[in-house]
Amino acid sequence: MTTNSEWAIIRQVVIGTDDLERDSATLRSTLGLAEGFADPLLDDVGLADETIRVGAEAHLEFVAPLNDTAPINGWIAKHGGGGGYAMAVQVPDVQAVVDRAHQHGVRVGLELEAYGRRIVQFHPGDMGVLVEIDEIPNPSEWFWDDIEVVTPPAPVVDDVLAVEVQSPDPSAQAELWAAVFGVELDEWNDVPRITLGTRTVNFVKGDRKMLSAVDLRRIDGTNAPDTLTISGVLLRLR
């Protein structure tokens, strides 16, 4: 069960791509979003990136290899050019989440401090996608609040509503996530899901574990396709 002192918010959904400029341009032009910005710390791990703000709180990020030796190259080859790569979840207390993860056999792939904050990444083989948890105790703050971006004149979407994680056993995957984040598990249209902040994680059947889709909130009266597939990830406008 969640408490007032323990919560989790999905802040960022990350798509891996073999062509950063192509895919970010497609997203921005189709959904009327402004040009994003880069995280300079990712250079150290061989990643180029563009983080694109969606509304006031959420972000879509593209990551791509900076060179032929970047570790992500193998992942991109395995996924046929790209796919759902990661998500970042803000929590007030990383250690509480890590303790529950250890209890349920979830491995920590990376732990570091960045921008003065503790960051832990869970192994994608366990969670179905690389899950990064970021310790920022104030839920109204995020890493990029001080970065000024151009307000898009005619955006089509203004929030991330949900992400979809597929696996051969979605019920077991959903139970694991609920246990790790200390939240209740429920269902919607027979799909198991959990809620992190105002956003949900939906668990569906698939041959392999991966982040397969993102639901975005459409602004009333705007014109855009109901669905858009970029780098193997289905974007659905709701």
Side-chain angles (χ1 to χ4, degrees):
M1 296 287 293
T2 56
T3 67
N4 289 334
S5 61
E6 188 168 354
W7 41 263
I9 301 171
I10 297 174
R11 283 289 202 163
Q12 211 149 304
V13 181
V14 186
I15 297 173
T17 175
D18 61 0
D19 193 326
L20 179 65
E21 291 186 8
R22 177 199 65 202
D23 287 345
S24 64
T26 298
L27 180 80
R28 288 186 276 104
S29 63
T30 305
L31 301 183
L33 298 174
E35 187 172 344
F37 50 88
D39 179 350
L41 296 185
L42 293 186
D43 289 356
D44 294 338
V45 291
L47 289 176
D49 83 298
E50 183 176 350
T51 298
I52 299 169
R53 191 163 290 163
V54 182
E57 185 180 273
H59 300 79
L60 291 175
E61 180 182 12
F62 289 100
V63 294
L66 272 175
N67 49 55
D68 293 339
T69 61
I72 197 176
N73 281 299
W75 182 91
I76 286 176
K78 179 180 178 181
H79 288 79
Y85 184 69
M87 72 175 71
V89 181
Q90 178 185 0
V91 299
D93 182 4
V94 160
Q95 192 59 50
V97 184
V98 169
D99 289 345
R100 288 193 296 268
H102 283 157
Q103 292 171 9
H104 294 276
V106 174
R107 293 165 287 175
V108 170
L110 180 68
E111 182 169 355
L112 71 156
E113 183 176 299
Y115 301 108
R117 307 293 189 176
R118 185 182 177 193
I119 293 174
V120 170
Q121 293 181 351
F122 292 137
H123 198 289
D126 299 330
M127 297 294 283
V129 61
L130 192 157
V131 176
E132 176 180 295
I133 52 173
D134 303 291
E135 187 173 275
I136 302 179
N138 186 342
S140 66
E141 296 179 359
W142 185 239
F143 287 120
W144 317 127
D145 291 345
D146 293 335
I147 294 180
E148 293 187 13
V149 296
V150 176
T151 300
V156 173
V157 296
D158 64 358
D159 203 355
V160 172
L161 297 175
V163 296
E164 182 178 277
V165 175
Q166 72 172 41
S167 71
D169 189 345
S171 294
Q173 198 72 54
E175 289 173 1
L176 177 63
W177 279 61
V180 168
F181 284 105
V183 297
E184 291 185 342
L185 175 63
D186 64 5
E187 286 192 357
W188 179 74
N189 289 343
D190 296 324
V191 174
R193 67 178 186 176
I194 65 170
T195 300
L196 301 178
T198 60
R199 304 176 181 94
T200 61
V201 184
N202 304 318
F203 300 88
V204 300
K205 185 81 171 179
D207 293 337
R208 61 183 182 181
K209 295 180 179 181
M210 61 183 295
L211 191 161
S212 53
V214 182
D215 292 344
L216 302 169
R217 185 170 67 188
R218 181 197 293 270
I219 297 174
D220 290 343
T222 57
N223 183 29
D226 291 335
T227 62
L228 173 69
T229 299
I230 299 181
S231 198
V233 177
L234 177 64
L235 304 178
R236 294 180 292 232
L237 277 59
R238 302 296 197 187

